[in-house]
Amino acid sequence: MNRSKWLGIVTVACMAAWFVAGEARAQKTKGKTRPLTTKQMMKGWTGPANTELKKALEAESVDWDAVKLQAALLNEQGYVLMDDGRCPDEIWAKSSKALQTTAAVLLEKAEAKDLEGSKAAHANLIAQTCRVCHPVHKGK
Ligand code: HEC
C-alpha cells in the first residue's frame, strides 16, 4: 500500500472518530429528536421541582399535595432522562433510574403523611441522583 492510500485511511478514521465523539456529546445535552435540552430541563423542571419539594417539607404545616406533586414529577423525569437517546453512559443511567425509584419511595412516604420518612427519602433522592450525575456530567 502506498503512502497516499494510508493517509486516506487515517483521515477517514479520524473523521469517523470525531463524528462518534460528537454524537456522544449531543446525547447528554439533548435527546436525538425532541427539542428540550438537558440544561432547559434542569433549569425549568428538575431544579424547581427539588426547590419546591424542599420548601414543602420544611414548611410549618406540610403541604402534602405539593410534596406528592413534585415527587411524581421527579419520578417522571427519571424516565425522560433515559428517553430519546439522551443517556450517554452508565452513571447517567444509574442516577436516572435512581430518580425513578427514590422519587417513588418519597411519594409513598408522602401518601402516608410520614414527615421523617419523607425527609429521609428526599435526602436519599439527592444523594443518589443529582450528586451522582453532576460530578461526572455537569459543566463538562
Ligand atoms: C442523569 C444526570 C443528571 C441528574 C440525575 C441530575 N442532573 Fe442536573 N444537570 C445535569 C447536566 C448534564 C447539567 C448541565 C446541563 C448543561 O449545562 O448543558 C445539569 C444542570 C443542572 C442545573 C443547572 C441548570 C442551568 O440553569 O444551567 C440545575 C439547577 C440542576 N441540574 C438541578 C438538578 C437537581 C436538583 C437534580 C436532582 C434532583 C439533578 N439536577 C439531577 C444532569 C443531571
Side-chain angles (χ1 to χ4, degrees):
M1 207 178 296
N2 65 30
R3 200 181 136 97
S4 73
K5 258 193 188 153
W6 269 114
L7 272 177
I9 289 168
V10 169
T11 307
V12 169
C14 285
M15 281 166 69
W18 175 250
F19 180 76
V20 169
E23 283 288 288
R25 273 199 303 276
Q27 275 177 358
K28 71 181 200 183
T29 54
K30 198 174 96 47
K32 284 189 172 159
T33 61
R34 305 199 297 255
L36 182 73
T37 64
T38 302
K39 192 178 170 74
Q40 287 173 325
M41 177 173 170
M42 291 291 148
K43 187 175 183 180
W45 199 11
T46 319
N50 195 50
T51 306
E52 287 302 312
L53 201 46
K54 191 163 179 263
K55 241 195 281 175
L57 286 171
E58 281 170 4
E60 220 158 282
S61 133
V62 175
D63 180 350
W64 290 110
D65 280 343
V67 176
K68 284 188 269 182
L69 172 64
Q70 302 305 339
L73 290 174
L74 282 167
N75 167 268
E76 188 65 25
Q77 292 177 49
Y79 294 90
V80 174
L81 282 168
M82 287 305 292
D83 207 4
D84 200 25
R86 192 184 302 263
C87 170
D89 67 6
E90 271 310 300
I91 296 282
W92 189 286
K94 187 175 130 194
S95 55
S96 299
K97 284 174 187 159
L99 190 54
Q100 299 168 11
T101 54
T102 58
V105 171
L106 173 56
L107 188 53
E108 263 171 41
K109 301 289 176 192
E111 266 156 7
K113 295 190 162 73
D114 171 358
L115 183 57
E116 284 319 303
S118 295
K119 284 184 174 171
H122 184 218
N124 195 34
L125 180 153
I126 291 172
Q128 288 192 41
T129 67
C130 335
R131 289 196 184 142
V132 171
C133 192
H134 284 175
V136 178
H137 290 297
K138 192 178 163 203
K140 279 183 187 161

